[in-house]
Amino acid sequence: MRETKLYQIGTFAVGNRLLDPEDRSAQASPDRANSITSGHRACQGCGEALGARYVLDAAMRAADGDVVVTNSTGCLEVFSTPYPESSWQIPWVHSLFGNGPAVAAGMAAGLRASGRTSTRVVGQAGDGGTVDIGFGCLSGMFERNDDVLFVCYDNQGYMNTGVQRSAATPPAARTANTGVIGDEPGNAFGQGKFVPLIAMAHEIPYVATATVADLHDLEDKVTRAMGMHGARYLHVLVPCPLGWAAAPAETIRLARLAVESGLFPVFEAEHGEVTAVTSIRGKVPVDDYLRLQGRYAHLFGDPGRPDLVARLQALADRNVVRFGLLDSDDGTQNASLGS
Amino acid sequence: MREQLEGSQAVARTVARCRPRVVAAYPISPQTHIVERLSDLVRSGDLAPCEYLMVESEFGAMSACIGASAVGARTYTATASQGLLFMAEALFNVSGLGLPVVMTVANRAIGAPINIWNDHSDAMSQRDCGWVQLFAASNQEAVDLHVQAFVLAERLSSPVMVCMDGFVLTHAVEAIDVPDQAEVDAFVPPFVPRQMLDPTDPVTIGAMVGPEAFTEVKYLMHRRQQQALAEIPSIAADFAARFGRTSGGVVHPYRTDDADTVVVALGSALGSVCRVVDDLRAEGTSVGALGITCFRPWPEAEVRAALAGARHVVVLERAFSPGAGGIVGRDVRTSIGSRTPVVDAVVGLGGRPVSRATVRRVLEDVSAGRLTPDDLHFPDLRRDLIDSEPATRGGPRA
Ligand SMILES: Cc1ncc(C[n+]2csc(CCOP(=O)(O)OP(=O)(O)O)c2C)c(N)n1
Ligand code: SF4
Ligand SMILES: [Mg+2]
């Protein structure tokens, strides 16, 4: 293969063609599975479409192409399979909105009982399909330690049905049913759940968070997860230009700023203990992240709501301390959670 | 070999001999003994290879069945009542995807008020979910229907529910012939899925279908159900040839040929009905019985033929549609036309026994003109309870 000179270095660059071949991303390879191919109906700049390609191509590479996938109802399912077309080049089944983890568990059981033990199962759903309506099935799949990698593409809302709130929608965000109305406009503070921590409470072999901004980190985590058996959970932040009212070209920047502000902690955990945290390289104020998104516009107009911005900043700061997201002076991390 | 067995134990053994690769189940009375026994059989290695998934809900159970069936594994579950309702969304999905899941429904009432006893409200509530619904009249038939159900489901690529009356059958101990492994293996061929998830031949299953082709998908489902009406008797005939006993089929007419009045029933009540028919015949009354084994798809032609000579038809309903009337009776009326009066009698709700005395009284009331075709009747209603309800509570007075 001819070496292409592209000035892409560092973990945030897609492809990394300047790296040694074995260190390059799956996306850099012309032989990648291209699990979800072009022609689907996602919006421009859809983080979920990107995330699904990254995750599944990495999973396909890790499992030598021996992967079967289930997909819960949501944007990803809808934009990829308008009959009679399909963007999926891998075996793929959609059943319902709330049952993805159980379908995946059944697939794993069926494969094992049929002696097809090399075939690996990946389940995928949006945040609604994972943390809300699919949560009972997810928890069951976790506690039974079924041999499934379940991936949540978290775009922080029910995008497919027109951008309503989910339990992963952040406070203050405007959605179609958390309008900019009243004293606390947008989604309420003090609600919602961060499912990676709940996944850890099941003490499953592997839990990780990632974003579409850091391809290498995301692929590494998929590869690590595919190298293990049992229940594994990957929670990927995937910005949604439509739901977040952001420019399609800002998807990667938004995912990066979510991390760099401390609002979205990126870490790994094994058997219930945090094993690695991606530290923030240059911490940014939450404003930098929020101002790019129309769903937070009410926080910045005139008069704006600096008090609510401050509350969001406090949440980010809490994450920084809780997960040890900043390297301390002596180079060690200062986490209050995990080891 | 005939053995004294509890109905549930017999069904569990039979299902095991049909070699499901995945059993995913959630406990609910009166289904529990079936799935407990299957768990034992998997743990002991008597049923192998098989994965038994202890899921977190019936919704999870049916969903796991979907996943297992989609990868090409023979798949089984069992439930009842609230559990069947909890599965409802997945039931339609299974039939829409054409997955040949086999499920036992240990028929039980639906609350509120919560009630664990037998009637047919659960299965009837899912009448239109696109599954074949077979009703066993006895434990022997329950056993035999399961063997036939796997063949039918996989031949049609369509899910099949085997309904057996909760407690009345599931917990009754009687002499049952459970076919042995070699016999079942000879009757139930290995599962060859119509399509499955396979990395060497990737397919997309469960795509989104809009107005341009949705009707066609549903139409094909309907045609497949109609095809079942031909397959069911043919599988039953094969079964009879191999096992030497008659089980299954779509209807069981009993002494209907010259009967003036025919009683239509589903499930275990059929036994009592046939005994009453014998008694009344001995007394010179011209009655017969029609058992409906296959409730969905509805065997319209067979029902019409069996009731062709009847001057009165009485349907024993073990569930009904509040504010509308009988469920089975409506199908019967559609099948035979307005020529013959059809009386709908709701009996045996929530475990109230359908005794021979009840059946006899219903028939006497019909012949005396006390039960008429223009209303829904509740012949075993306890008037004393209705009348003792204080008027101050409001609501309708009967
Ligand atoms: C039982 C059920 N309830 C509601 C819906 C409607 N529905 C379909 S997709 C969806 C939201 C999907 O949200 P999410 O899982 O976050 O995926 P996204 O579209 O955001 O990627 C909803 C509410 C449904 N299909 N099924
Ligand atoms: S609404 Fe959001 S998640 Fe859905 S396709 Fe558009 S960008 Fe992607
Ligand atoms: Mg979402």
Side-chain angles (χ1 to χ4, degrees):
Chain A
M1 193 170 53
R2 221 184 84 220
E3 293 288 316
T4 315
K5 271 219 183 313
L6 286 175
Y7 295 99
Q8 292 182 341
I9 49 168
T11 58
F12 289 142
V14 172
N16 283 282
R17 290 175 177 83
L18 300 185
L19 295 175
D20 290 337
E22 61 274 16
D23 293 332
R24 289 179 194 168
S25 71
Q27 291 303 311
S29 163
D31 302 326
R32 70 184 167 85
N34 195 24
S35 310
I36 174 171
T37 194
S38 57
H40 56 68
R41 267 74 155 174
C43 308
Q44 256 187 27
C46 175
E48 191 166 74
L50 198 62
R53 174 155 60 84
Y54 288 177
V55 166
L56 290 175
D57 284 356
M60 286 286 280
R61 181 175 69 177
D64 249 342
D66 203 357
V67 175
V68 290
V69 175
T70 186
N71 201 140
S72 303
T73 311
C75 269
L76 179 59
E77 165 263 328
V78 168
F79 70 61
S80 63
T81 62
Y83 174 88
E85 292 158 8
S86 170
S87 284
W88 300 100
Q89 311 213 73
I90 52 178
W92 182 96
V93 62
H94 160 248
S95 173
L96 297 169
F97 183 26
N99 69 355
V103 172
M107 288 159 68
L111 289 167
R112 193 162 52 241
S114 308
R116 291 159 65 193
T117 46
S118 65
T119 305
R120 307 301 305 277
V121 179
V122 177
Q124 44 181 9
D127 48 297
T130 306
V131 314
D132 288 335
I133 198 166
F135 191 66
C137 291
L138 184 74
S139 179
M141 188 274 276
F142 285 164
E143 68 81 13
R144 290 187 304 269
N145 201 23
D146 292 320
D147 192 13
V148 169
L149 168 60
F150 203 85
V151 185
C152 171
Y153 300 110
D154 180 8
N155 54 20
Q156 304 187 332
Y158 297 162
M159 300 319 181
N160 184 53
T161 35
V163 196
Q164 296 84 18
R165 172 202 184 269
S166 81
T169 301
R174 180 196 72 207
T175 70
N177 57 0
T178 57
V180 179
I181 299 165
D183 295 343
E184 225 180 63
N187 193 33
F189 282 81
Q191 299 183 352
K193 52 182 158 182
F194 189 51
V195 163
L197 293 180
I198 307 178
M200 283 167 59
H202 293 76
E203 308 204 350
I204 56 177
Y206 189 72
V207 173
T209 66
T211 80
V212 285
D214 193 340
L215 172 65
H216 273 275
D217 178 66
L218 176 55
E219 288 190 349
D220 284 351
K221 285 170 176 166
V222 173
T223 307
R224 198 157 309 142
M226 293 299 285
M228 302 177 182
H229 285 272
R232 291 141 291 143
Y233 180 67
L234 184 58
H235 191 105
V236 189
L237 184 71
V238 291
C240 163
L242 184 107
W244 296 13
E250 302 286 18
T251 294
I252 301 298
R253 189 201 308 276
L254 281 169
R256 187 180 311 153
L257 290 172
V259 176
E260 300 286 283
S261 62
L263 282 171
F264 188 81
V266 175
F267 65 96
E268 280 179 300
E270 292 182 28
H271 300 287
E273 304 294 336
V274 173
T275 52
V277 172
T278 303
S279 43
I280 297 174
R281 294 196 285 189
K283 187 165 184 272
V284 299
V286 294
D287 293 49
D288 291 12
Y289 170 68
L290 303 175
R291 279 179 191 278
L292 292 173
Q293 304 172 56
R295 63 175 172 161
Y296 296 113
H298 54 284
L299 303 182
F300 298 104
D302 185 17
R305 290 298 300 267
D307 57 324
L308 298 184
V309 176
R311 288 177 77 178
L312 288 166
Q313 185 63 57
L315 290 175
D317 295 344
R318 176 166 179 263
N319 277 342
V320 168
V321 174
R322 193 176 190 198
F323 292 91
L325 298 176
L326 283 180
D327 287 345
S328 57
D329 293 342
D330 61 3
T332 58
Q333 283 170 350
N334 252 329
S336 65
L337 192 103
S339 49
Chain B
M1 190 186 70
R2 270 166 80 82
E3 259 182 281
Q4 286 291 328
L5 276 178
E6 189 201 42
S8 297
Q9 306 285 329
V11 164
R13 282 194 207 177
T14 306
V15 166
R17 287 172 193 172
C18 294
R19 300 187 187 276
R21 289 261 168 87
V22 174
V23 175
Y26 193 83
I28 180 168
S29 297
Q31 149 267 37
T32 43
H33 291 186
I34 300 174
V35 296
E36 288 164 1
R37 182 74 187 122
L38 276 166
S39 169
D40 289 347
L41 291 169
V42 173
R43 283 172 171 249
S44 64
D46 290 319
L47 170 52
C50 179
E51 295 285 327
Y52 186 105
L53 281 175
M54 281 173 230
V55 281
E56 66 292 329
S57 71
E58 287 86 356
F59 178 66
M62 189 48 71
S63 300
C65 288
I66 290 169
S69 195
V71 297
R74 180 172 291 160
T75 304
Y76 170 84
T77 187
T79 191
S81 181
Q82 318 295 136
L84 188 70
L85 294 201
F86 210 46
M87 280 181 185
E89 192 192 10
L91 293 179
F92 281 75
N93 196 249
V94 175
S95 58
L97 294 174
L99 299 172
V101 177
V102 171
M103 169 165 65
T104 311
V105 176
N107 297 107
R108 163 182 155 180
I110 288 173
I114 190 163
N115 173 303
I116 64 167
W117 309 104
N118 168 235
D119 68 31
H120 291 169
S121 314
D122 50 7
M124 294 289 161
S125 80
Q126 301 306 309
R127 180 189 70 178
D128 301 331
C129 72
W131 285 53
V132 172
Q133 292 187 328
L134 305 176
F135 280 78
S138 66
N139 271 327
Q140 186 62 60
E141 189 166 51
V143 160
D144 298 347
L145 283 179
H146 280 89
V147 178
Q148 299 182 31
F150 281 100
V151 177
L152 176 69
E154 291 169 14
R155 209 178 271 182
L156 290 176
S157 216
S158 176
V160 178
M161 228 179 257
V162 180
C163 300
M164 61 190 291
D165 285 327
F167 294 110
V168 179
L169 292 181
T170 55
H171 289 55
V173 177
E174 54 184 321
I176 305 172
D177 186 346
V178 176
D180 68 27
Q181 188 64 66
E183 288 175 318
V184 176
D185 283 344
F187 194 77
V188 183
F191 176 30
V192 182
R194 194 181 53 176
Q195 64 171 9
M196 68 169 178
L197 299 172
D198 176 3
T200 64
D201 182 19
V203 285
T204 292
I205 302 176
M208 194 186 76
V209 177
E212 69 288 345
F214 189 80
T215 308
E216 288 66 28
V217 176
K218 293 292 170 184
Y219 169 79
L220 290 173
M221 251 175 85
H222 177 58
R223 294 309 294 260
R224 200 164 57 217
Q225 290 287 306
Q226 289 179 319
Q227 223 180 310
L229 285 175
E231 290 290 350
I232 292 166
S234 125
I235 293 171
D238 292 348
F239 187 90
R242 192 177 298 266
F243 294 88
R245 58 176 177 268
T246 310
S247 285
V250 292
V251 292
H252 281 314
Y254 184 73
R255 305 183 79 168
T256 50
D257 280 353
D258 58 341
D260 179 79
T261 302
V262 175
V263 183
V264 178
L266 282 70
S268 62
L270 190 63
S272 309
V273 173
C274 291
R275 297 287 295 280
V276 172
V277 165
D278 290 341
D279 293 348
L280 291 175
R281 285 261 179 185
E283 294 162 23
T285 313
S286 166
V287 291
L290 178 65
I292 308 285
T293 309
C294 175
F295 175 61
R296 278 296 176 274
W298 175 252
E300 181 146 328
E302 290 79 359
V303 170
R304 191 186 309 125
L307 297 178
R311 295 206 301 118
H312 299 277
V313 174
V314 183
V315 180
L316 298 185
E317 306 270 8
R318 308 291 314 281
F320 70 102
S321 174
I327 298 169
V328 183
R330 297 206 161 208
D331 288 347
V332 170
R333 275 195 195 90
T334 317
S335 306
I336 64 177
S338 54
R339 185 179 46 80
T340 316
V342 176
V343 171
D344 273 327
V346 179
V347 292
L349 293 185
R352 187 160 290 175
V354 186
S355 63
R356 274 192 271 166
T358 312
V359 179
R360 203 182 166 104
R361 186 151 36 83
V362 168
L363 279 164
E364 284 164 4
D365 285 352
V366 170
S367 71
R370 283 190 292 270
L371 298 184
T372 51
D374 54 6
D375 201 3
L376 182 66
H377 301 281
F378 294 78
D380 61 11
L381 191 72
R382 282 188 55 192
R383 279 276 156 201
D384 56 326
L385 274 184
I386 302 285
D387 294 341
S388 69
E389 275 292 289
T392 48
R393 282 207 200 145
R397 304 286 301 156

